[in-house]
Amino acid sequence: MDSAVGTPAAPLRIGLLGTGPWARNTQAPALAAHPGVELSGVWGRRAEAAESLAAAHGAPAYTGDEGVEALLAASDAVAFALPPDVQAPLAVRAAEAGRHLLMDKPVATTVEGARAVADAVERAGVASVVFCTLRFAPDTAAWIAEQAERDGWFTARAQWLGSLYAEGSTSQYADSPWRREKGGLWDVGPHALSVLIPVLGDVEHLTAAPGPADTTHLILRHASGASSTVTLGLSAPPGAAGVEIEFRGERGTVSIPGWDGAETAFRGAVDALAEAVRTGTPHACDARFGLHLTELLVAAETQARG
């Protein structure tokens, strides 16, 4: 309810750009079911995919360049389920049209692309959120905030190993060309960094080295004086896959709890965007933070590839 006038607030009209597995399995269902959102349309590079996904959720379908313009005109905000370097220029275009942004991670795979988005957001004065899952899943978001309030951290360890490209994998997400090219560093690295940075502080020094297949190992020195190690990859044997994040310090050792899944977390990101729109206060995980993640990932990739 709008306390000023005593009437229900208008729903936030959010258009979805993208029709792949992430859009089908997570974003479209979450947006269509959100009580504070109107799914204003679905845009896709393939008309038949856009029409199928839009019809499944009772929304209009758009395609082509003119479809982007039409979707922006029908929306207050747009959510992205696109490869990062397709996402970035469209995000700039949306911001310049005055639309708020709910972006996938990474924002872009080049510093120039991510900076263009962050600068466009600032010039337009629109709200932005970058969907790093653990920052928006209720249980993990609360846990991260709790650890960030504590002092005395000494070191941390994050390990995010998937088996997306392991022998015998049938995951629909393995068909993503950008993910196959860039590997676990770019796909799951933002998730790990988005947990470590708010607790331990900004990364002041980074060392990276390659492991087997697409695995990358990082050693980070943080502004608080604490250090952390990170292992990232998408090619682990199924029995070796898993996610572990722990902090060690004066109060002992704490480990991140489990979370309910991507759709629940995405609803949390929608709520965060709506709050940023309502208050005008930037979320900590916004386009500027997305730029910083890209800067760190580019530095790590450069070192690891030597």
Side-chain angles (χ1 to χ4, degrees), residues 132-169:
C132 295
T133 304
L134 301 182
R135 292 290 289 273
F136 299 100
D139 290 344
T140 53
W143 182 85
I144 293 166
E146 180 184 356
Q147 310 321 314
E149 289 294 318
R150 297 178 173 178
D151 295 322
W153 295 117
F154 183 70
T155 191
R157 177 180 64 87
Q159 180 170 282
W160 196 305
L161 292 173
S163 56
L164 198 65
Y165 299 125
E167 184 177 353
S169 171

Side-chain angles (χ1 to χ4, degrees), residues 1-304:
M1 296 292 288
D2 187 326
S3 59
V5 297
T7 58
L12 188 66
R13 301 175 302 159
I14 302 182
L16 175 59
L17 291 148
T19 59
W22 186 244
R24 294 195 304 269
N25 298 338
T26 300
Q27 294 195 351
L31 291 169
H34 196 292
V37 167
E38 174 191 336
L39 178 59
S40 53
V42 176
W43 178 90
R45 289 176 284 183
R46 294 185 299 113
E48 62 274 20
E51 290 164 1
S52 175
L53 184 57
H57 297 285
Y62 300 92
T63 194
D65 189 69
E66 68 284 357
V68 174
E69 288 301 316
L71 181 61
L72 293 178
S75 306
D76 304 308
V78 286
F80 293 86
L82 295 168
D85 295 326
V86 176
Q87 168 180 250
L90 287 173
V92 170
R93 186 171 169 182
E96 290 174 343
R99 303 306 181 254
H100 309 290
L101 308 179
L102 178 47
M103 293 174 286
D104 202 3
K105 53 73 204 164
V107 170
T109 65
T110 67
V111 172
E112 295 77 14
R115 181 173 291 115
V117 176
D119 289 347
V121 165
E122 290 186 6
R123 285 194 304 269
V126 297
S128 63
V129 163
V130 178
F131 180 48
C132 295
T133 304
L134 301 182
R135 292 290 289 273
F136 299 100
D139 290 344
T140 53
W143 182 85
I144 293 166
E146 180 184 356
Q147 310 321 314
E149 289 294 318
R150 297 178 173 178
D151 295 322
W153 295 117
F154 183 70
T155 191
R157 177 180 64 87
Q159 180 170 282
W160 196 305
L161 292 173
S163 56
L164 198 65
Y165 299 125
E167 184 177 353
S169 171
T170 59
S171 172
Q172 58 190 319
Y173 297 99
D175 292 333
S176 164
W178 85 265
R179 187 174 282 110
R180 184 173 288 276
E181 176 191 355
K182 305 299 280 187
L185 174 66
W186 284 91
D187 188 31
V188 298
H191 294 311
L193 291 169
S194 76
V195 176
L196 297 172
I197 290 172
V199 177
L200 302 182
D202 201 5
V203 176
E204 295 186 331
H205 182 77
L206 177 154
T207 302
D214 75 310
T215 305
T216 303
H217 302 282
L218 307 178
I219 302 173
L220 309 176
R221 178 78 173 181
H222 296 267
S224 65
S227 63
S228 63
T229 59
V230 186
T231 299
L232 308 162
L234 299 175
S235 304
V243 177
E244 299 176 7
I245 302 177
E246 67 176 24
F247 294 95
R248 292 175 178 264
E250 294 173 355
R251 294 177 175 82
T253 303
V254 294
S255 298
I256 198 165
W259 61 95
D260 289 338
E263 188 174 337
T264 299
F266 190 75
R267 288 197 296 270
V270 173
D271 291 338
L273 181 68
E275 180 70 5
V277 170
R278 185 184 67 82
T279 64
T281 302
H283 191 274
C285 201
D286 64 358
R288 189 58 59 180
F289 182 70
L291 165 60
H292 186 48
L293 291 179
T294 294
E295 291 171 334
L296 293 172
L297 295 171
V298 166
E301 182 179 63
T302 300
Q303 283 196 34

